[in-house]
């Protein structure tokens, strides 16, 4: 039974299970829609107090939360790994480390980034006017994340929201509920005020209840289909949304690229987190002159990867998160086969892995080495091989040659460990192939000619384009994260992400009140002539041209003063 289906079976609660073994990791109670509404109300009450706290106090608490995470780092990594299936090392390197970095950066920088600023207003300044923009928090930010980065994404968004003066309600994914609960505990232990960060547990209906409860902002991470539903529901309350959605990210390898680096990056970019990254390499376009060499290197490197449970430190590719997800991968690989592409390595679910694991064997397959797992790791932990209830959700890392853009799986997000390779001849063709998609989250260009790489990057329709790198920039909190096209709306991270979490207020001041404004009432032929001058002279922005308007302006002001 699919992990999600198993969870649905328990009324009123979610059972979280380890996708490597099926073993229960823990359970949480689902919140009712009424409880979700109450959580948002409590959040709004605390907001009125929290928004008045100083940046220094917010900074102190966020830095304290970092300490809590560091204290519990090993157990948090184990929890993330157990719920999501990713190797423990990935939980530390790609979730805990980046979010700790984001926390220290935003704690130290938010005050400066949100400092009131004077705005240049051109010739209006000569009339004794000035303008400032100040930033106000929004209120309650609802965070609805996916399961693939269950710690770093909601935690990072929560910290940015709090530093901006908002309060937060998080609805974690139903596949990783305990990691969500842990995030709540971290803020509590750090000493944040009660209800400044709340976690409500449940599946889609709980997320929908949170959207209906009219928070002041929704930060959603997940599929395009759910993103659409949330945007529609949010529109009823005019709640603004940031949508971080799916991807089908291209990697373009030009003929002059460093092939060894490109091969390593392709393997990591396609297979880390078992390919369940929104920014995974899902399409590799390589110049035909180096395609054979690059493909050989990728296949060799893939063959050395050890697959198995995320708790084994030697494992590079862990199980997928759910039956639903692995079925998509199977379907896509079948589609590739049927369309005439060649499966060079992998291509199968390790349906028999659990049985082999039960006899604690280590075996080298054609492409991958399997991890050895003792009998206690079986579902139920009974040590009895016959009690194996289901295979772990492992799909072999799969390299595919001869892919073309007209094959169906090149057009849909796979979100699994597949790496389809396609060749191109000209730069124009590579750009066209990369842009030939509804998605636009990230992309990469590989070349030794950095200027050429940048030129190509600017022509690719994606929110982030890396040159000689792929995938990892979500880990650079200072930079904006978000997609073009159906990959999303708005940004998280960076200045752009912080500005999503505040509302700007324009404060405009007039220091000269002795004279009436020339546009005030009553209107007259003199007013009309003056207004023509506004359009033809003042609106040019030219001081010289505006100077020629002064006699007319003075005439109009005298007229107004006469009453
Ligand atoms: P999903 O859309 O199924 O679920 C995401 C979240 O939405 C979950 O918490 C779920 O419970 C909740 N949800 C479901 N229906 C809802 C509704 N009607 N109202 C409110 N909430 C609802 O996505 P998923 O399977 O968890 O995640 C995989 C997707 O996330 C992939 O497409 C991946 O590319 C994307 N993703 C994007 C980014 C990014 O930064 N762009 C990052 C990670 C994952």
């Amino acid at each position: 039974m699919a992990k999600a289906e198993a969870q649905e079976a328990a009324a009123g609660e979610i059972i979280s299970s380890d996708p490597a073994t099926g073993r229960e990791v823990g359970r949480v109670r689902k919140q009712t829609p009424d409880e979700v509404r109450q959580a948002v109300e409590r959040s709004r009450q605390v907001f009125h107090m929290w928004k008045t706290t100083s940046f220094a106090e917010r900074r102190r608490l966020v830095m304290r939360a970092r300490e809590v995470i560091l204290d519990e780092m090993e157990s948090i990594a184990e929890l993330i790994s157990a719920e999501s299936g990713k190797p423990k090392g990935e939980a530390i390197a790609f979730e805990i480390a980046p979010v700790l970095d984001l926390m220290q950066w935003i704690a130290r920088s938010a005050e400066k980034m949100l400092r009131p600023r004077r705005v240049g207003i051109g010739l209006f300044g000569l009339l004794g006017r000035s303008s400032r923009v100040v930033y106000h928090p929004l209120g309650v930010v609802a965070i609805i994340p996916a399961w693939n980065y269950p710690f770093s994404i909601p935690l990072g968004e929560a910290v940015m929201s709090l530093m901006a003066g908002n309060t937060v309600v998080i609805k974690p994914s139903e596949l990783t509920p305990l990691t969500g609960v842990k995030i709540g505990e971290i803020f509590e232990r750090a000493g944040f005020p009660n209800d400044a960060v709340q976690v409500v547990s449940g599946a889609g209906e709980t997320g929908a209840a949170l959207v209906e409860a009219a928070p002041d902002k929704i930060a959603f991470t997940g599929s395009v289909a759910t993103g659409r539903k949330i945007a529609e529901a949010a529109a009823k309350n005019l709640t603004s949304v940031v949508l971080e959605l799916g991807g089908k990210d291209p990697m373009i390898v030009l003929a002059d690229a460093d092939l060894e680096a490109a091969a390593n990056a392709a393997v990591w970019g396609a297979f880390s987190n078992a390919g369940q990254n929104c920014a995974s390499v899902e399409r590799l376009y390589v110049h035909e002159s180096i395609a054979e060499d690059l493909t050989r290197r990728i296949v060799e490197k893939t063959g050395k990867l050890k697959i198995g449970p995320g708790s084994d430190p030697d494992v590079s590719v862990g199980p997928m998160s759910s039956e639903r997800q692995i079925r998509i991968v199977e379907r896509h690989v079948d589609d590739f086969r049927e369309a005439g592409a060649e499966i060079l390595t992998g291509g199968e679910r390790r349906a028999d892995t659990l049985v082999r694991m039960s006899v604690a064997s280590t075996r080298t397959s054609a492409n991958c080495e399997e991890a050895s797992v003792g009998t206690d790791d079986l579902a139920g932990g009974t040590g009895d091989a016959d009690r194996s209830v289901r295979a772990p959700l492992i799909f072999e890392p799969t390299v595919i040659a001869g892919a073309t853009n007209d094959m169906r799986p090149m057009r849909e997000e796979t979100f699994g460990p597949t790496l389809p390779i396609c060749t191109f001849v000209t730069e124009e063709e590579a750009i066209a192939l990369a842009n030939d998609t509804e998605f636009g989250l990230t992309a990469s260009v590989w070349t030794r000619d950095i200027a050429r790489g940048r030129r190509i990057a600017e022509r690719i329709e994606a929110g982030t384009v890396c040159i000689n790198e792929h995938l990892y920039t979500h880990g650079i909190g200072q930079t904006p994260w978000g997609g073009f096209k159906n990959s999303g709306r708005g940004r998280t991270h960076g200045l752009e992400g912080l500005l999503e979490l505040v509302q700007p207020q324009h404060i405009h001041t007039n220091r000269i009140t002795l004279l009436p404004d020339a546009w005030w009432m009553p209107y007259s032929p003199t007013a009309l002539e003056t207004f023509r001058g506004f359009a033809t002279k003042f609106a040019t922005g030219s001081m010289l041209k505006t100077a020629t308007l002064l006699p007319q302006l003075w005439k109009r002001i005298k007229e107004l003063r006469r009453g």
Side-chain angles (χ1 to χ4, degrees):
M1 197 192 296
K3 193 179 178 198
E5 288 160 7
Q7 289 162 355
E8 286 305 310
E13 65 179 11
I14 297 175
I15 300 174
S16 175
S17 57
D18 181 335
T21 62
R23 189 168 52 189
E24 180 179 327
V25 182
R27 49 183 77 194
V28 296
R29 194 177 66 77
K30 287 184 193 173
Q31 254 83 48
T32 64
D34 257 351
E35 287 172 318
V36 172
R37 252 191 311 278
Q38 285 158 19
V40 172
E41 276 164 25
R42 284 196 302 275
S43 191
R44 189 154 283 128
Q45 280 160 20
V46 181
F47 166 68
H48 294 298
M49 179 275 290
W50 178 250
K51 70 177 179 184
T52 65
T53 55
S54 65
F55 279 102
E57 175 64 358
R58 295 177 201 167
R59 180 163 49 239
R60 186 185 72 75
L61 288 169
V62 169
M63 295 308 271
R64 176 74 200 111
R66 283 186 86 256
E67 296 303 318
V68 174
I69 295 169
L70 282 166
D71 273 0
E72 296 186 28
M73 185 165 84
E74 295 299 320
S75 63
I76 292 173
E78 278 154 22
L79 176 62
I80 297 169
S81 171
E83 281 205 302
S84 69
K86 68 179 67 182
K88 181 180 168 186
E90 284 190 355
I92 294 175
F94 310 137
E95 295 228 48
I96 296 177
V99 85
L100 288 173
D101 189 37
L102 177 126
M103 287 167 87
Q104 63 78 19
W105 163 70
I106 197 67
R108 294 185 172 122
S109 318
E111 182 171 13
K112 194 168 165 205
M113 290 159 76
L114 296 178
R115 196 169 276 163
R117 65 187 174 87
R118 203 185 160 101
V119 180
I121 54 173
L123 296 175
F124 282 100
L126 296 180
L127 303 177
R129 320 291 155 118
S130 63
S131 281
R132 274 157 53 91
V133 170
V134 297
Y135 295 101
H136 293 274
L138 296 169
V140 180
V141 177
I143 299 175
I144 306 178
W147 43 265
N148 64 334
Y149 286 84
F151 190 69
S152 59
I153 290 181
L155 181 54
E157 289 172 349
V159 166
M160 289 193 63
S161 302
L162 290 162
M163 282 307 301
N166 302 295
T167 50
V168 168
V169 180
I170 304 173
K171 202 298 285 173
S173 166
E174 57 275 32
L175 293 184
T176 50
L178 298 169
T179 306
V181 169
K182 173 53 73 182
I183 291 173
E185 287 169 10
I186 289 167
F187 286 110
E188 199 181 314
R189 263 195 67 194
F192 276 80
N194 281 349
D195 297 328
V197 179
Q198 295 175 77
V199 176
V200 293
S201 302
E205 67 276 8
T206 311
L210 181 54
V211 172
E212 273 169 32
D216 299 285
K217 184 89 183 189
I218 298 165
F220 170 73
T221 307
S223 60
V224 176
T226 309
R228 261 188 234 287
K229 281 189 205 159
I230 286 182
E232 277 173 26
K236 282 187 200 140
N237 296 315
L238 295 180
T239 308
S240 81
V241 290
V242 170
L243 302 174
E244 299 290 358
L245 309 177
K248 190 77 191 170
D249 295 3
M251 169 171 178
I252 298 177
V253 186
L254 301 180
D256 69 340
D258 178 333
L259 285 197
E260 191 55 17
N264 280 319
V267 169
W268 180 68
F271 304 139
S272 66
N273 204 14
Q276 300 164 113
N277 306 299
C278 47
S280 279
V281 178
E282 291 222 359
R283 296 175 292 146
L284 193 155
Y285 300 105
V286 55
H287 191 266
E288 61 169 8
S289 64
I290 51 159
E292 206 181 309
D293 192 354
L294 183 72
T295 306
R296 181 182 46 75
R297 289 174 200 240
I298 288 173
V299 168
E300 267 173 34
K301 290 174 195 298
T302 304
K304 290 183 185 147
L305 301 178
K306 191 170 178 179
I307 61 175
S311 53
D312 180 339
D314 288 326
V315 159
S316 294
V317 182
M320 301 196 62
S321 63
S322 68
E323 178 66 25
R324 184 179 65 124
Q325 206 55 50
I326 203 168
R327 283 194 188 158
I328 296 172
V329 179
E330 286 179 320
R331 178 166 61 76
H332 280 192
V333 171
D334 286 347
D335 285 349
F336 272 123
R337 271 198 199 97
E338 276 167 29
E342 191 184 352
I343 311 299
L344 299 178
T345 177
E348 300 293 336
R349 177 208 287 255
R350 302 305 283 261
D352 53 354
T353 312
L354 193 61
V355 178
R356 288 190 202 131
M357 283 178 174
S358 70
V359 292
S361 67
T362 303
R363 192 187 78 89
T364 306
S365 74
N367 301 311
C368 300
E369 194 186 343
E370 258 177 28
S372 165
V373 175
T375 48
D376 285 351
D377 287 319
L378 293 172
T382 62
D384 179 353
D386 295 328
R387 298 270 317 268
S388 310
V389 291
R390 58 182 172 178
L393 302 166
I394 290 177
F395 198 90
E396 296 169 336
T398 300
V399 182
I400 301 157
T404 55
N405 269 21
D406 55 2
M407 296 177 180
R408 196 168 71 151
M410 290 290 273
R411 314 203 69 78
E412 295 172 5
E413 185 179 41
T414 304
F415 221 54
T418 57
L419 179 55
I421 300 176
C422 181
T423 58
F424 66 86
V425 182
T426 66
E427 184 179 306
E428 285 304 312
E429 188 189 358
I431 294 168
L433 287 168
N435 286 338
D436 176 24
T437 170
E438 66 170 298
F439 297 105
L441 189 57
T442 82
S444 64
V445 183
W446 292 75
T447 173
R448 288 192 166 87
D449 182 344
I450 302 297
R452 183 181 181 206
R454 287 193 177 135
R455 270 199 317 276
I456 294 174
E458 286 183 23
R459 294 184 59 199
I460 293 178
E461 297 155 357
T464 297
V465 185
C466 296
I467 294 148
N468 299 330
E469 258 307 343
H470 199 102
L471 175 63
Y472 86 115
T473 65
H474 189 271
I476 310 176
Q478 293 88 337
T479 60
W481 179 264
F484 286 14
K485 303 197 274 191
N486 279 353
S487 285
R489 292 291 179 273
R491 294 292 179 268
T492 55
H493 292 184
L495 174 63
E496 293 79 359
L498 189 63
L499 292 180
E500 297 272 2
L501 299 165
V502 289
Q503 43 192 340
Q505 181 183 41
H506 172 201
I507 310 266
H508 184 70
T509 309
N510 175 17
R511 286 195 169 76
I512 304 175
T513 51
L514 285 176
L515 299 178
D517 287 348
W519 50 83
W520 284 352
M521 292 174 177
Y523 299 150
S524 67
T526 307
L528 186 58
E529 193 51 29
T530 311
F531 297 165
R532 285 198 185 100
F534 286 162
T536 57
K537 295 173 176 163
F538 183 84
T540 62
S542 154
M543 191 102 80
L544 273 180
K545 286 196 174 139
T546 302
T548 64
L549 179 64
L550 288 179
Q552 176 64 33
L553 202 56
W554 186 236
K555 194 171 156 191
R556 168 69 177 148
I557 285 170
K558 278 201 302 194
E559 178 186 67
L560 282 168
R561 289 184 79 183
R562 277 198 304 273

Coordinates of all heavy atoms in Angstrom, one line a residue, residues 102-134:
L102 N 21.3 30.3 6.4 CA 20.2 31.3 6.1 C 19.8 32.0 7.4 O 19.6 33.2 7.4 CB 19.0 30.6 5.5 CG 17.8 31.5 5.2 CD1 17.4 31.4 3.8 CD2 16.6 31.2 6.1
M103 N 19.8 31.2 8.5 CA 19.3 31.8 9.7 C 20.3 32.9 10.2 O 19.9 34.0 10.6 CB 19.2 30.7 10.8 CG 17.9 29.9 10.6 SD 17.9 28.4 11.6 CE 17.2 29.0 13.1
Q104 N 21.6 32.6 10.2 CA 22.5 33.6 10.7 C 22.5 34.8 9.7 O 22.6 36.0 10.2 CB 23.9 33.0 10.9 CG 24.7 32.5 9.7 CD 25.3 33.6 8.8 OE1 25.5 34.7 9.2 NE2 25.6 33.2 7.6
W105 N 22.4 34.6 8.4 CA 22.4 35.7 7.5 C 21.2 36.6 7.7 O 21.3 37.8 7.8 CB 22.5 35.2 6.0 CG 22.1 36.2 5.1 CD1 22.8 37.4 4.8 CD2 20.8 36.3 4.3 NE1 22.1 38.1 3.9 CE2 20.9 37.5 3.6 CE3 19.7 35.5 4.2 CZ2 19.8 37.9 2.8 CZ3 18.7 35.9 3.4 CH2 18.7 37.1 2.7
I106 N 20.0 36.0 7.7 CA 18.8 36.8 7.8 C 18.7 37.5 9.2 O 18.2 38.6 9.3 CB 17.5 36.1 7.4 CG1 16.4 37.0 7.1 CG2 17.1 35.1 8.5 CD1 16.6 37.8 5.9
A107 N 19.2 36.8 10.2 CA 19.1 37.4 11.6 C 20.0 38.7 11.6 O 19.6 39.7 12.2 CB 19.6 36.4 12.6
R108 N 21.1 38.6 10.9 CA 22.0 39.8 10.9 C 21.6 40.8 9.9 O 22.0 42.0 10.1 CB 23.5 39.3 10.6 CG 24.0 38.4 11.7 CD 25.4 38.1 11.5 NE 26.0 37.4 12.6 CZ 26.5 36.1 12.6 NH1 26.6 35.5 11.4 NH2 27.0 35.6 13.7
S109 N 21.0 40.4 8.8 CA 20.8 41.4 7.7 C 19.4 42.0 7.6 O 19.2 43.0 6.9 CB 21.0 40.7 6.4 OG 22.1 39.9 6.5
A110 N 18.4 41.4 8.2 CA 17.0 41.8 8.0 C 16.8 43.3 8.3 O 16.1 44.0 7.6 CB 16.0 40.9 8.8
E111 N 17.4 43.7 9.5 CA 17.1 45.1 9.9 C 17.6 46.1 8.8 O 16.9 47.0 8.5 CB 17.9 45.3 11.2 CG 17.6 46.8 11.7 CD 18.2 47.0 13.1 OE1 18.9 46.1 13.6 OE2 17.8 48.0 13.7
K112 N 18.8 45.8 8.3 CA 19.4 46.7 7.3 C 18.5 46.6 6.0 O 18.2 47.6 5.4 CB 20.8 46.2 7.0 CG 21.6 47.2 6.2 CD 23.1 46.8 6.2 CE 23.8 47.6 5.2 NZ 25.0 47.0 4.7
M113 N 18.1 45.4 5.6 CA 17.4 45.3 4.4 C 16.0 45.9 4.5 O 15.4 46.3 3.4 CB 17.2 43.8 4.0 CG 18.5 43.1 3.6 SD 18.5 41.3 3.8 CE 17.5 40.8 2.5
L114 N 15.5 46.0 5.7 CA 14.1 46.6 5.8 C 14.2 48.0 6.4 O 13.1 48.5 6.8 CB 13.3 45.7 6.7 CG 13.0 44.3 6.2 CD1 12.2 43.4 7.1 CD2 12.3 44.4 4.8
R115 N 15.3 48.6 6.4 CA 15.5 49.9 7.0 C 14.6 50.9 6.1 O 14.6 50.8 4.9 CB 16.9 50.3 6.9 CG 17.3 51.5 7.7 CD 18.8 51.6 7.7 NE 19.4 50.8 8.7 CZ 20.7 50.4 8.8 NH1 21.6 50.8 7.9 NH2 21.2 49.7 9.8
P116 N 13.9 51.9 6.7 CA 13.2 52.9 5.9 C 14.2 53.5 4.9 O 15.3 53.8 5.3 CB 12.7 53.9 6.9 CG 12.7 53.1 8.2 CD 13.8 52.1 8.1
R117 N 13.7 53.8 3.7 CA 14.6 54.4 2.7 C 14.0 55.6 2.1 O 12.8 55.6 1.9 CB 15.1 53.4 1.7 CG 14.1 52.8 0.9 CD 14.5 51.7 0.0 NE 13.4 51.1 -0.7 CZ 12.9 51.5 -1.8 NH1 13.5 52.5 -2.5 NH2 11.8 51.0 -2.4
R118 N 14.8 56.6 1.8 CA 14.3 57.7 1.1 C 14.2 57.4 -0.4 O 15.1 56.7 -1.0 CB 15.4 58.9 1.3 CG 14.8 60.2 1.1 CD 16.0 61.2 1.2 NE 15.6 62.5 0.6 CZ 15.1 63.5 1.3 NH1 15.1 63.5 2.6 NH2 14.7 64.6 0.6
V119 N 13.2 57.9 -1.1 CA 13.0 57.6 -2.5 C 13.2 58.9 -3.3 O 12.6 59.9 -2.9 CB 11.6 57.1 -2.8 CG1 11.4 56.8 -4.2 CG2 11.4 55.8 -1.9
G120 N 14.0 58.9 -4.3 CA 14.2 60.1 -5.1 C 12.9 60.4 -5.9 O 12.3 59.4 -6.5
I121 N 12.4 61.6 -5.9 CA 11.1 61.9 -6.5 C 11.3 63.0 -7.6 O 10.4 63.7 -8.0 CB 10.0 62.3 -5.5 CG1 10.5 63.4 -4.6 CG2 9.6 61.1 -4.7 CD1 9.4 63.9 -3.7
G122 N 12.5 63.2 -8.1 CA 12.8 64.1 -9.2 C 12.4 65.5 -8.9 O 12.7 66.0 -7.8
L123 N 11.7 66.2 -9.8 CA 11.4 67.6 -9.6 C 10.4 67.9 -8.5 O 10.4 69.1 -8.0 CB 10.9 68.2 -11.0 CG 11.9 68.1 -12.1 CD1 11.3 68.6 -13.4 CD2 13.2 69.0 -11.8
F124 N 9.7 66.9 -8.1 CA 8.8 67.2 -6.9 C 9.6 67.6 -5.7 O 9.2 68.3 -4.8 CB 8.0 65.9 -6.6 CG 6.8 65.7 -7.5 CD1 6.9 64.8 -8.5 CD2 5.7 66.4 -7.3 CE1 5.9 64.5 -9.4 CE2 4.6 66.2 -8.1 CZ 4.7 65.2 -9.2
G125 N 10.9 67.1 -5.7 CA 11.8 67.5 -4.6 C 12.0 69.0 -4.5 O 12.1 69.6 -3.4
L126 N 12.0 69.7 -5.7 CA 12.2 71.1 -5.7 C 11.0 71.8 -5.1 O 11.0 73.0 -4.7 CB 12.4 71.6 -7.1 CG 13.6 71.1 -7.8 CD1 13.7 71.6 -9.2 CD2 14.9 71.5 -7.0
L127 N 9.8 71.2 -5.1 CA 8.6 71.8 -4.5 C 8.5 71.5 -3.0 O 7.5 71.7 -2.4 CB 7.4 71.2 -5.2 CG 7.3 71.3 -6.7 CD1 6.1 70.6 -7.2 CD2 7.3 72.8 -7.1
G128 N 9.7 71.1 -2.4 CA 9.7 70.9 -1.0 C 9.1 69.6 -0.5 O 8.7 69.4 0.7
R129 N 9.0 68.7 -1.4 CA 8.4 67.4 -1.1 C 9.5 66.3 -0.8 O 10.5 66.4 -1.5 CB 7.4 66.8 -2.2 CG 6.6 67.9 -2.9 CD 5.5 68.4 -1.9 NE 5.1 69.7 -2.3 CZ 3.8 70.0 -2.7 NH1 2.9 69.1 -2.8 NH2 3.5 71.2 -3.0
S130 N 9.2 65.3 0.0 CA 10.1 64.2 0.1 C 9.3 62.9 0.3 O 8.2 63.0 0.8 CB 11.1 64.4 1.2 OG 10.4 64.5 2.4
S131 N 9.9 61.8 0.0 CA 9.2 60.5 0.1 C 10.1 59.5 0.8 O 11.3 59.4 0.5 CB 8.8 60.0 -1.3 OG 7.7 60.6 -1.7
R132 N 9.6 58.7 1.7 CA 10.3 57.6 2.3 C 9.4 56.3 2.2 O 8.2 56.4 2.1 CB 10.4 57.9 3.8 CG 11.6 58.7 4.2 CD 11.4 59.3 5.6 NE 11.0 58.4 6.6 CZ 11.8 57.8 7.4 NH1 13.1 58.0 7.3 NH2 11.4 57.0 8.4
V133 N 10.1 55.2 2.1 CA 9.3 53.9 2.1 C 9.7 53.2 3.4 O 10.9 53.1 3.8 CB 9.6 53.1 0.9 CG1 9.1 51.7 1.1 CG2 9.1 53.7 -0.3
V134 N 8.7 52.8 4.2 CA 8.9 52.0 5.4 C 8.2 50.7 5.2 O 7.2 50.6 4.4 CB 8.4 52.7 6.7 CG1 9.1 54.0 7.0 CG2 6.9 53.0 6.6

